[in-house]
Amino acid sequence: MKNYSTSSVFVAACAGMAFFGVTMLSLAPILGPLNESVAGANALPSTMSIGIIIGTILFGPIVDKFGYKWLLILGSVMALAGIQGLANFNEIGLLHTSIFLLGFGGGILNGETNALVSDIYDDDKRGGRLGVLGAFYCIGAMLWTLLNYFIPEYRIPLNAVSIVMVAFIIFFCCISFPQAKPQENVSLGKTLGLLKYPALLAFAFVLFFQSGFEGASGNFTVSFLDKSAGMDAATATLSMTWFTLGMMAGRLPLGAIMKRLKDLTTLYIYLSVALIGVILLYLCSSNVAIVYGAMVMIGFGVGATFPVVLNFIGGAFRELSGTAFSIALFIALCGQSALNKLTGVAFDAGNYQMLPILLILALVAIMVLVPIAASVAKKMNK
């Protein structure tokens, strides 16, 4: 029997995802000022990545066994502690501790909010709600960017975000959440047994290339436009805002689109838009208007992959949805690291034109893997 308000829980999940959006872009506007005052600050992003990976691995088995409420609160408190550490510390060791807490809490929030929304909605609504949830990642990231754009003193935006987080943590404490999974379904054997399901691994490798695409495009597009097309830094940086707007525009109507079209049809339409956008970026990188339009198309086009794939996973593995999401998101993060490394090697060698080529190859890999994964999932459900 349901003992929680679906709408309240969904609001809580959206808030947690918005906090994750802040987490992922937390260092982008403040790393420069930190480098001016603290030696070794350039190593902080690596520490945050470690925290995100650990949080992603651990959240699933914990929420399956103990439920969502207290881990959501703990993840938010850890992220809050990390943000306050960035606002108040100037010693490199304390900053590393703070950014690790921020990454750890962010990894928990990302995985848990996706699994939570997957659990509270049935098959007919799950994909669309996951799309709306993903849009709140974009909202958090954009609000954080805008705060730092208009308020150059980075400690003020950090403290403003902290106040909002405290308010939502109190809200989390006051509402009920879905209970833990039946304990007979939660065991080490069953957890490890998920790795034997080809459908889960196939969908996870779709996310491997999707996350790699997002990581490489997010980290290297500005440098590509600067080095390859000669675009000035400010103009090139603004392209990522158009990417985020495109992703948000793609995710918000996803539920309505999925009611009219099959999930795979929806995904292929979105991915085709992204592919056209990358080709435009490759062919017309010196034209600012076309580049901005291309970035909107790319963001829009890749906005459906995570919601649609997590919808498949959530429906297929309801008994251990948290653990299944942990496995899939961990493999996705591995893809992000791999494509970031590959793109970085290409850029170090001066091969800036490799970025759009690698992005096209990642999209093609997704398009090839998706029907294979869907076919394997259908066989599993028979």
Side-chain angles (χ1 to χ4, degrees):
M1 184 176 179
K2 192 171 80 168
N3 65 334
Y4 59 88
S5 164
T6 300
S7 57
S8 295
V9 172
F10 184 64
V11 168
C14 289
M17 182 56 76
F19 296 155
F20 180 63
V22 173
T23 297
M24 289 300 288
L25 290 187
S26 58
L27 283 175
I30 70 175
L31 195 57
L34 279 175
N35 268 314
E36 294 176 2
S37 58
V38 182
N42 274 330
L44 291 174
S46 297
T47 302
M48 185 171 73
S49 297
I50 294 169
I52 290 174
I53 289 172
I54 295 174
T56 299
I57 293 170
L58 293 181
F59 91 86
I62 293 174
V63 297
D64 283 341
K65 188 169 182 63
F66 300 106
Y68 288 98
K69 180 169 184 172
W70 295 110
L71 190 63
L72 181 63
I73 293 169
L74 178 62
S76 300
V77 169
M78 292 175 73
L80 174 61
I83 286 174
Q84 278 299 296
L86 289 177
N88 292 288
F89 295 142
N90 288 305
E91 195 274 318
I92 190 62
L94 292 173
L95 286 172
H96 273 291
T97 301
S98 299
I99 204 66
F100 175 81
L101 287 172
L102 181 55
F104 194 2
I108 290 171
L109 291 173
N110 178 41
E112 175 164 352
T113 53
N114 276 294
L116 179 57
V117 170
S118 176
D119 274 0
I120 63 175
Y121 289 105
D122 295 326
D123 292 349
D124 59 334
K125 291 185 177 180
R126 185 186 302 112
R129 294 297 187 269
L130 284 168
V132 175
L133 177 71
F136 273 86
Y137 167 86
C138 303
I139 291 170
M142 286 187 61
L143 288 176
W144 172 246
T145 302
L146 289 172
L147 271 174
N148 282 274
Y149 179 80
F150 289 110
I151 308 174
E153 170 47 58
Y154 70 87
R155 290 178 176 83
I156 296 175
L158 286 169
N159 286 322
V161 169
S162 297
I163 293 170
V164 176
M165 290 184 75
V166 168
F168 272 102
I169 289 169
I170 294 171
F171 174 66
F172 300 160
C173 292
C174 295
I175 65 173
S176 298
F177 286 82
Q179 295 178 349
K181 302 294 193 302
Q183 292 306 294
E184 61 270 18
N185 295 333
V186 183
S187 67
L188 181 60
K190 289 191 175 182
T191 296
L192 296 176
L194 288 177
L195 296 172
K196 299 177 182 178
Y197 286 96
L200 176 58
L201 296 179
F203 279 124
F205 275 98
V206 171
L207 298 183
F208 177 96
F209 288 103
Q210 167 70 20
S211 189
F213 182 102
E214 291 184 18
S217 59
N219 290 323
F220 294 99
T221 296
V222 173
S223 296
F224 164 75
L225 293 172
D226 177 22
K227 303 294 185 182
S228 180
M231 195 175 289
D232 68 87
T235 305
T237 301
L238 190 58
S239 68
M240 295 313 301
T241 300
W242 290 106
F243 174 88
T244 306
L245 282 170
M247 181 175 282
M248 185 168 63
R251 285 178 168 173
L252 284 173
L254 191 58
I257 294 171
M258 289 173 68
K259 286 181 179 179
R260 291 166 175 78
L261 301 173
K262 293 181 179 180
D263 290 359
L264 290 186
T265 303
T266 301
L267 189 52
Y268 269 101
I269 291 172
Y270 271 71
L271 291 171
S272 297
V273 172
L275 186 59
I276 294 169
V278 175
I279 292 171
L280 285 173
L281 180 68
Y282 182 55
L283 296 176
C284 307
S285 58
S286 59
N287 186 308
V288 175
I290 294 178
V291 165
Y292 286 174
M295 293 304 289
V296 171
M297 293 177 71
I298 294 168
F300 180 96
V302 298
T305 309
F306 264 98
V308 171
V309 171
L310 292 178
N311 181 39
F312 273 112
I313 294 173
F317 300 97
R318 289 191 71 90
E319 291 183 349
L320 287 171
S321 57
T323 304
F325 276 41
S326 266
I327 293 169
L329 293 173
F330 170 70
I331 292 174
L333 288 172
C334 291
Q336 186 175 101
S337 298
L339 203 56
N340 276 338
K341 180 67 174 177
L342 190 60
T343 310
V345 170
F347 272 47
D348 288 341
N351 297 322
Y352 304 111
Q353 291 293 331
M354 283 299 295
L355 175 65
I357 294 172
L358 289 171
L359 295 181
I360 289 171
L361 290 175
L363 287 173
V364 170
I366 295 169
M367 289 177 163
V368 170
L369 282 171
V370 162
I372 296 173
S375 176
V376 173
K378 284 182 180 178
K379 290 179 182 178
M380 186 188 80
N381 291 330
K382 286 182 179 178

